[in-house]
């Protein structure tokens, strides 16, 4: 996974595949052992009891990686673009982590995790770590464990972490709260000028990538996006989203995408926006963890009589739901 990988102890000296030794796992991940990285992410995905210890061990390495999100509708070429971006970033000497989120079945809970299939070019590169994650029913385009998985890859020494969302619709914008730079991918023929000015996913883009630019209608798509950008109100010095054309399947336009990402990174640093986004990301993580803990406690109340008693009072009109919620929170505090 990194230049240090060659110094990792030989396989079998210390097994990490089922290890629960957090300091050992972090040490091996820092040294570039992909099995240790995989084990840490698995523990994170499973919501293991070791998660607080893992987060504490990784805290010193937070904010050291550039996080780039790639999102867009199904079929616009996110996986192919991610694959080519990895190639460009490796050519620049960066160590790269990829988190590719795939949708899970609402019926069986399973997922194909097919994004990784499109990235086999980098399967043997020790400077690249690729992990497919199932959304596990989580809405917003990401998996619930994605933020902590990003921290694992930061701790493992990745310079850049690419987060590829599931194929999303207009309202799935969660990736913007996780990424330093958000790429929204589009393709010709996926909407008209009215579609381009609708609120939603197009508003989160730092860089627009019009992929499959060899198709008819690409000029109209670029014009529509540029028109939407022109409608936005921006003060002096504010970032104006870039519009880049690409044909990722042929590797065309990838250098332009990388240049746009670098340009946005420079703007973030220059204007102090990078720190603001990192703090906003940390606030969202803290809130999510706190809410998760509250949900777990509320779930435990379902096994008792408190919630049932309150629900019965609300149902018969003896109590309003807001007062009942206040009583429930008071019980949780006790």
């Amino acid at each position: 996974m990194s230049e240090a990988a060659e110094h990792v102890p030989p396989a079998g000296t210390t097994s990490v595949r089922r290890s629960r030794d957090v300091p050992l796992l972090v040490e091996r991940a820092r040294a570039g052992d992909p099995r240790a990285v995989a084990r840490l992410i698995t523990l994170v995905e499973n919501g293991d009891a070791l998660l607080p210890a893992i987060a504490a061990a990784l805290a010193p390495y937070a904010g050291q990686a550039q996080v780039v999100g790639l999102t867009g509708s199904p079929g616009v070429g996110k996986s192919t673009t991610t694959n080519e971006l990895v190639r460009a970033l490796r050519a620049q000497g960066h160590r790269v982590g990829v988190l590719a989120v795939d949708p899970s079945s609402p019926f069986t809970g399973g997922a194909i995790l097919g994004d990784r299939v499109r990235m086999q070019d980098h399967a043997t590169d020790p400077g690249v770590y690729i992990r497919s994650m199932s959304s596990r029913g989580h809405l917003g385009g990401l998996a619930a464990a994605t933020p902590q998985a990003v921290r694992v890859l930061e701790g493992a020494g990745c310079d850049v972490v690419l987060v590829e969302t599931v194929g999303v619709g207009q309202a799935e914008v969660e990736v913007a709260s996780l990424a330093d730079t958000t790429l929204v991918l589009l393709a010709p023929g996926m909407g008209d000028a009215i579609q381009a000015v609708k609120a939603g996913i197009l508003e989160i883009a730092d860089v627009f990538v019009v992929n499959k630019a060899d198709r008819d209608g690409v000029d109209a798509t670029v014009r529509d996006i540029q028109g939407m950008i022109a409608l936005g109100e921006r003060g002096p010095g504010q970032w104006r989203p870039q519009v880049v054309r690409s044909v990722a399947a042929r590797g065309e336009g990838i250098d332009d995408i990388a240049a746009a990402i670098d340009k946005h990174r420079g703007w973030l640093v220059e204007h102090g926006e990078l720190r603001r986004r990192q703090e906003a990301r940390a606030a969202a993580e803290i809130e999510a963890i706190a809410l998760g803990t509250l949900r777990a406690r509320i779930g435990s109340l379902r096994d008792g009589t408190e919630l049932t008693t309150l629900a019965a009072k609300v149902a018969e009109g003896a109590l309003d739901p807001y007062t009942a919620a206040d009583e429930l929170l008071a019980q949780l505090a006790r």
Side-chain angles (χ1 to χ4, degrees):
M1 144 130 204
S2 71
E3 292 88 343
E6 61 191 55
H7 302 300
V8 173
T13 358
T14 309
S15 175
V16 298
R17 292 184 180 179
R18 296 187 180 277
S19 174
R20 298 183 62 79
D21 185 337
V22 173
L24 170 67
L25 289 171
V26 172
E27 178 186 352
R28 295 285 292 269
R30 292 288 297 166
D33 186 346
R35 293 166 302 174
V37 178
R39 178 60 175 160
L40 286 169
I41 294 180
T42 296
L43 291 170
V44 165
E45 280 193 288
N46 292 340
D48 194 275
L50 289 174
L51 188 50
I54 293 171
L58 294 172
Y61 313 111
Q64 296 183 9
Q66 181 180 6
V67 184
V68 179
L70 296 92
T71 190
S73 302
V76 295
K78 294 188 297 297
S79 296
T80 307
T81 301
T82 301
N83 184 67
E84 294 303 316
L85 265 179
V86 170
R87 194 188 312 279
L89 291 167
R90 289 295 293 141
Q92 297 173 9
H94 294 301
R95 285 177 277 178
V96 184
V98 178
L99 295 174
V101 184
D102 278 303
S104 55
S105 168
F107 303 104
T108 67
I112 294 178
L113 304 180
D115 287 335
R116 186 167 49 189
V117 175
R118 298 188 177 96
M119 303 180 202
Q120 288 302 302
D121 297 350
H122 311 291
T124 59
D125 186 343
V128 180
Y129 183 87
I130 300 172
R131 175 75 173 224
S132 287
M133 305 178 71
S134 168
S135 64
R136 301 191 182 189
H138 184 77
L139 301 178
L142 300 176
T146 305
Q148 294 304 317
V150 168
R151 288 189 176 274
V152 171
L153 293 180
E154 284 184 317
C158 291
D159 303 309
V160 183
V161 177
L162 303 177
V163 181
E164 179 193 333
T165 72
V166 302
V168 299
Q170 289 177 311
E172 286 80 7
V173 297
E174 187 177 357
V175 68
S177 66
L178 178 65
D180 301 324
T181 300
T182 301
L183 275 58
V184 172
L185 276 69
L186 308 111
M190 300 193 71
D192 55 13
I194 300 300
Q195 195 72 21
V197 297
K198 283 185 179 181
I201 191 171
L202 298 183
E203 293 184 296
I204 68 172
D206 298 305
V207 178
F208 287 100
V209 178
V210 182
N211 192 34
K212 305 184 179 182
D214 51 346
R215 291 185 176 181
D216 293 337
V218 62
D219 291 335
T221 300
V222 171
R223 280 197 305 272
D224 290 342
I225 296 302
Q226 289 175 334
M228 184 208 72
I229 293 171
L231 291 174
E233 295 183 3
R234 292 178 183 80
Q238 286 190 300
W239 175 255
R240 180 183 176 88
Q242 307 286 291
V243 183
V244 181
R245 305 184 190 209
S246 69
V247 184
R250 298 204 298 254
E252 297 175 6
I254 302 302
D255 289 341
D256 294 335
I257 298 174
I261 293 171
D262 286 343
K263 184 175 181 180
H264 183 246
R265 175 76 173 188
W267 179 85
L268 290 173
V269 173
E270 180 183 351
H271 290 81
E273 182 69 10
L274 181 61
R275 173 56 60 183
R276 191 199 69 78
R277 292 195 180 195
Q278 289 173 338
E279 291 178 356
R281 186 157 73 230
E285 284 185 70
I286 295 168
E287 182 180 357
I289 293 168
L291 288 174
T293 302
L294 284 174
R295 289 192 189 99
R297 291 182 182 176
I298 291 173
S300 68
L301 288 179
R302 290 181 180 275
D303 299 330
T305 60
E306 296 91 344
L307 186 57
T308 303
T309 301
L310 290 170
K313 289 181 179 180
V314 171
E316 67 187 20
L319 198 65
D320 69 88
Y322 287 93
T323 301
D326 286 340
E327 289 190 21
L328 181 63
L329 289 173
Q331 291 175 19
L332 286 173
R334 290 195 294 270

